[in-house]
Amino acid sequence: MFNRILLLGGSGQLGQVLQPLLKDFSAQTDLQLFVPTRQVLDLNNTDAISDYIAQHKPDLIINAAAMTQVDDAETNPALADAINHRAVAVLAYAAKQQKAAFLQLSTDQVFDGSRSTPLLETDPPNPINAYGRSKWAGEQALVAAYAGTDLLWWILRTSWLYGEQGPRWLQHIDSNASVVTDQIGAPTSALWLAHIIVQIIQDAKTQPMESGIYHATMAGQTSKFDQAQRHLMQRHLIQQGQQPKLKPIKTEDFKQAVAKRPLYTVLNSDKLAKALNLTIPQWTEATDIHFMQLALNQAKIAEANGEVPVGAVVVAADGKTVLAQAHNAPITANDPTAHAEISALRQAATTTNNYRLDGCTLYVTLEPCTMCVGALVHARIAKVVFAASEPKAGSLQSQRQLMNEDLSGYYNHRFVWQGGVLAHAAALQLRTFFKARRQT
């Protein structure tokens, strides 16, 4: 449906992971992608915005650009309003003139934090800081510009967004820092959100998601304090088994903050889940998304080699060390057993100098077949995470449920499994591959 996509904010946390996904998508669909830098398009220059839109004629604008530093926005509210509100108004008007669709990123900070249950899209915003006010004004500007038209527009509100290195505010934290305990929200992986955006674009070809405001956060909730503890443990910044010595503090006693922070901003994303027919993962499952993306990258290598695009990754028992990355290679290796899972198991066994991979997790982009399930059992894999189901030969969920069937005494090891992680992206890879095959 979209042939010319303009992405603003390409250097931000979301833009950095969204760009490569959109480039892959554009290669599969022959669309053009424009990602101007600040030097090319200054959002504080309204004339430049209108000129750029008129010149490049996008049919979809994704606006991930924003002034997001809450304290900086409080000390410079005019600049925050210029970027987060007035620029959006100009973008929306120019986009409407081009009959373009618009996807705007927004924030949980539009709420005042007075609730104690997850917030719905219908709950009235009441921002308590300059950043929240500017983002709420930007939302209103977009809604007003597109009112009375049949053009598609979406506002995705997210919260506590973080990239591959974790939340920015935690990247330089030490284990003795003071962290607030009464700010509650849902940490959201930028990579997960990027895949959501790609799915919205893909679905627009056949069944566009209805225009409107959607909450787009991962499931569950936590406090800033507990998030910091988990971050330190995962990054091994303290000795294993030793609890961080973070100092709990209330928001009202945290004097370093310039702007007020809402205390409770957990967003209910059920509307998005229903619209896209997906299950929202828990925020604690973000590492699964990261490792599945590595497997998807391996699947791209298989596709480039003329193989069915399936990739696999083996992660050590520590939950962070990648032991192997592999992809399908039966054709190029002249080996009927060279499925991605088998090749990854062989690599991991070589890396560890042990064919038993106790405690390890295998990530694979397609539900394993019977042969691969047998190898996974023999390797003593602890967990398997797959993306897309395999209706013809899948042996965990689809054709057979080998780890669930009552085969007492037959297997001397069983592993747990989980399906559906980045399933849409893996299925798109496979559909594109086989469509190209049918056309040659």
Side-chain angles (χ1 to χ4, degrees):
M1 179 177 183
F2 302 120
N3 298 310
R4 300 170 66 84
I5 296 179
L6 170 60
L7 170 63
L8 301 172
S11 62
Q13 287 192 111
L14 177 59
Q16 288 178 22
V17 291
L18 181 56
Q19 271 198 71
L21 298 185
L22 288 176
K23 287 178 180 177
D24 287 344
F25 184 71
S26 64
Q28 297 166 353
T29 57
D30 296 323
L31 64 81
Q32 288 183 276
L33 176 64
F34 306 99
V35 191
T37 63
R38 290 180 186 173
Q39 290 72 29
V40 173
L41 179 56
D42 181 1
L43 293 183
N44 204 15
N45 184 336
T46 55
D47 290 337
I49 294 172
S50 299
D51 291 344
Y52 189 94
I53 301 299
Q55 178 184 351
H56 290 84
K57 295 179 171 54
D59 51 18
L60 170 63
I61 295 176
I62 302 172
N63 185 26
M67 183 177 181
T68 59
Q69 298 298 322
V70 178
D71 286 340
D72 289 348
E74 201 69 21
T75 57
N76 196 345
L79 181 59
D81 187 71
I83 302 299
N84 298 342
H85 167 213
R86 288 189 286 115
V88 176
V90 176
L91 279 166
Y93 179 79
K96 184 174 69 171
Q97 296 301 106
Q98 295 293 334
K99 300 189 183 306
F102 204 113
L103 191 154
Q104 171 71 19
L105 275 300
S106 194
T107 175
D108 61 329
Q109 297 285 309
V110 300
F111 296 108
D112 60 17
S114 61
R115 290 279 297 273
S116 58
T117 56
L119 291 140
L120 300 171
E121 292 83 355
T122 52
D123 288 322
N126 184 33
I128 61 174
N129 54 47
Y131 170 64
R133 286 189 290 272
S134 66
K135 292 295 288 183
W136 168 227
E139 289 187 13
Q140 291 176 297
L142 174 58
V143 173
Y146 276 63
T149 75
D150 58 359
L151 299 173
L152 290 170
W153 62 271
W154 307 284
I155 294 171
L156 301 185
R157 290 177 183 153
T158 192
S159 68
W160 296 21
L161 195 68
Y162 64 90
E164 185 176 346
Q165 301 303 316
R168 286 176 175 167
W169 69 277
L170 284 174
Q171 289 175 13
H172 303 291
I173 196 171
D174 61 57
S175 59
N176 297 309
S178 296
V179 183
V180 296
T181 59
D182 54 350
Q183 289 180 31
I184 309 297
T188 300
S189 160
L191 180 59
W192 174 79
L193 184 57
H195 276 282
I196 291 296
I197 292 171
V198 172
Q199 182 172 348
I200 291 171
I201 296 170
Q202 170 67 15
D203 288 357
K205 287 184 175 181
T206 55
Q207 191 173 0
M209 188 168 79
E210 184 179 351
S211 296
I213 298 173
Y214 293 84
H215 290 171
T217 67
M218 301 184 80
Q221 65 182 52
T222 189
S223 68
K224 291 285 188 182
F225 183 85
D226 289 339
Q227 183 189 21
Q229 281 192 312
R230 181 180 175 84
H231 173 80
L232 289 173
M233 295 294 291
Q234 286 184 329
R235 297 294 179 184
H236 289 246
L237 298 181
I238 60 171
Q239 292 181 357
Q240 194 169 6
Q242 177 184 349
Q243 287 295 314
K245 297 179 181 179
L246 295 172
K247 300 170 184 175
I249 189 173
K250 296 292 185 182
T251 297
E252 62 184 6
D253 298 323
F254 191 70
K255 304 304 181 184
Q256 298 176 29
V258 176
K260 292 181 180 179
R261 288 342 193 249
L263 297 185
Y264 185 93
T265 58
V266 179
L267 305 181
N268 183 319
S269 297
D270 288 350
K271 179 182 175 183
L272 179 75
K274 183 178 180 180
L276 296 181
N277 190 28
L278 55 81
T279 300
I280 305 290
Q282 293 290 316
W283 72 271
T284 52
E285 297 173 0
T287 52
D288 287 345
I289 295 165
H290 167 71
F291 291 126
M292 190 60 76
Q293 183 62 53
L294 296 182
L296 286 167
N297 294 343
Q298 287 294 312
K300 285 197 300 183
I301 298 173
E303 183 176 16
N305 293 338
E307 302 276 2
V308 175
V310 180
V313 171
V314 177
V315 178
D318 64 6
K320 71 169 191 173
T321 304
V322 175
L323 298 176
Q325 300 186 61
H327 51 81
N328 261 8
I331 299 171
T332 52
N334 294 313
D335 180 357
T337 70
H339 288 197
E341 301 96 310
I342 302 293
S343 296
L345 291 176
R346 287 170 176 161
Q347 283 186 32
T350 299
T351 300
T352 60
N353 198 31
N354 191 341
Y355 77 101
R356 299 295 199 199
L357 300 173
D358 294 305
C360 295
T361 300
L362 180 131
Y363 294 85
V364 62
T365 59
L366 186 64
E367 181 184 357
C369 67
T370 304
M371 174 184 72
C372 292
V373 170
L376 291 162
V377 168
H378 197 53
R380 300 295 191 269
I381 283 284
K383 183 177 181 180
V384 171
V385 181
F386 65 86
S389 59
E390 215 309 20
K392 293 184 178 180
S395 292
L396 292 178
Q397 172 180 276
S398 300
Q399 283 295 326
R400 300 294 300 272
Q401 296 84 42
L402 294 180
M403 289 296 98
N404 298 348
E405 292 178 10
D406 184 13
L407 297 171
S408 302
Y410 187 79
Y411 292 122
N412 57 7
H413 172 76
R414 289 178 181 271
F415 56 80
V416 297
W417 61 270
Q418 175 187 353
V421 176
L422 298 186
H424 186 272
L428 176 60
Q429 270 189 334
L430 290 160
R431 285 198 305 270
T432 302
F433 174 81
F434 286 113
K435 181 180 179 180
R437 275 283 187 88
R438 289 190 294 269
Q439 292 174 347
T440 57

